[in-house]
Amino acid sequence: MAKTIIQAEPEALPVDLSRTALIIIDMQRDFLEPGGFGETLGNDVSLLHRAVGPTKKVLAAAREAGMLVIHTREGHRPDLTDAPIAKVERGKPSLRIGAPGPMGRILIRGEAGHDIIPDLYPIPGEPVIDKPGKGAFYATDLDALLRNFGIQYLLVCGVTTEVCVNTSVREANDRGYRCIVLADCCASYFPEFHEVGLAMIKAQGAIFGWVSSSRAVLDVLARQPAVRSA
Ligand code: C5J
């Protein structure tokens, strides 16, 4: 397929949309809603909501175009056997990973809080990658799945910018994927970390990837309505 130019920083990038997937990182109730993991750590979860509207638009356009859409969720097995004790014991949260909270046990697979927010809920056929770490590639089959689909480019949305988005982009970059992070589709509990997290990705001639926007991707998909990445 002919390449399409996506406006981005530090420079516009030619992208083969048939080899592109949209990946939405950890848009889970545990991070975005009161009573979840994010709030137990003392964060104002409302700060993440700004990313939901733009991500919803990109998700709808990607689905319409037939682009592969992948969702990730951070969380652990109910018996915590995949949760390093160093992670569980870290910090002074009001509730630790695995403790019972208002949305079920904190950051545990199968609990209500672990699931993806209704606005961005996966539809049948969209792979959901359950990851025990911050990076989407660590201890998951994401790389195998992307290679089986022939994916070379990733449009990246999600939370939080400097933690799971950044870690996943760095992992993807080392595996040869070109990542385009959509700035307004990501958010952090710390707005300054959001800015710096994006700056680190695009610095030094896109050392980890490119930074773009929902608008840029929506414009491209409006001009090229069928991309079919499968
Ligand atoms: C965090 C994440 N912040 N999804 N997880 O612990 O960014």
Side-chain angles (χ1 to χ4, degrees):
M1 186 175 188
K3 290 193 176 161
T4 305
I5 304 291
I6 296 189
Q7 294 305 322
E9 292 179 339
E11 68 212 345
L13 182 69
V15 172
D16 180 346
L17 290 173
S18 69
R19 295 192 171 277
T20 300
L22 171 66
I23 183 161
I24 304 179
I25 307 283
D26 299 1
M27 286 291 209
Q28 295 162 252
R29 299 182 65 194
D30 252 324
F31 294 108
L32 286 117
E33 292 187 13
F37 183 58
E39 194 178 74
T40 71
L41 293 168
N43 297 305
D44 174 1
V45 294
S46 71
L47 288 166
L48 301 191
H49 292 186
R50 65 189 66 180
V52 175
T55 303
K56 198 171 173 178
K57 287 186 189 156
V58 172
L59 175 60
R63 283 174 175 162
E64 183 71 24
M67 184 179 281
L68 176 66
V69 175
I70 297 175
H71 306 258
T72 74
R73 300 185 294 200
E74 181 180 346
H76 296 282
R77 295 169 182 254
D79 62 5
L80 292 178
T81 47
D82 62 348
I85 195 73
K87 179 177 181 183
V88 176
E89 286 182 352
R90 185 123 355 142
K92 292 188 173 52
S94 56
L95 291 170
R96 291 213 181 269
I97 294 169
M103 293 190 287
R105 293 176 66 204
I106 299 291
L107 222 58
I108 296 296
R109 293 178 191 165
E111 302 287 346
H114 176 261
D115 214 350
I116 292 170
I117 58 169
D119 269 341
L120 302 174
Y121 208 76
I123 58 174
E126 290 177 353
V128 178
I129 304 288
D130 279 325
K131 60 189 189 63
K134 304 303 181 193
F137 290 82
Y138 169 67
T140 74
D141 58 2
L142 176 59
D143 191 43
L145 191 148
L146 293 174
R147 289 189 196 283
N148 290 341
F149 275 92
I151 297 299
Q152 297 175 354
Y153 304 84
L154 295 173
L155 302 174
V156 186
C157 303
V159 297
T160 62
T161 315
E162 78 281 13
V163 183
C164 289
V165 172
N166 241 274
T167 308
S168 300
V169 165
R170 290 169 188 228
E171 288 182 328
N173 182 59
D174 278 346
R175 286 164 176 78
Y177 300 100
R178 296 177 184 89
C179 295
I180 303 147
V181 181
L182 308 187
D184 56 332
C185 298
C186 298
S188 169
Y189 303 120
F190 307 90
E192 67 276 26
F193 290 176
H194 172 78
E195 295 304 330
V196 174
L198 297 174
M200 285 194 289
I201 287 167
K202 69 184 177 187
Q204 305 178 73
I207 194 120
F208 297 122
W210 289 257
V211 175
S212 185
S213 65
S214 61
R215 185 71 269 151
V217 169
L218 292 170
D219 285 350
V220 159
L221 290 179
R223 287 199 304 272
Q224 201 149 348
V227 301
R228 191 63 48 203
S229 39

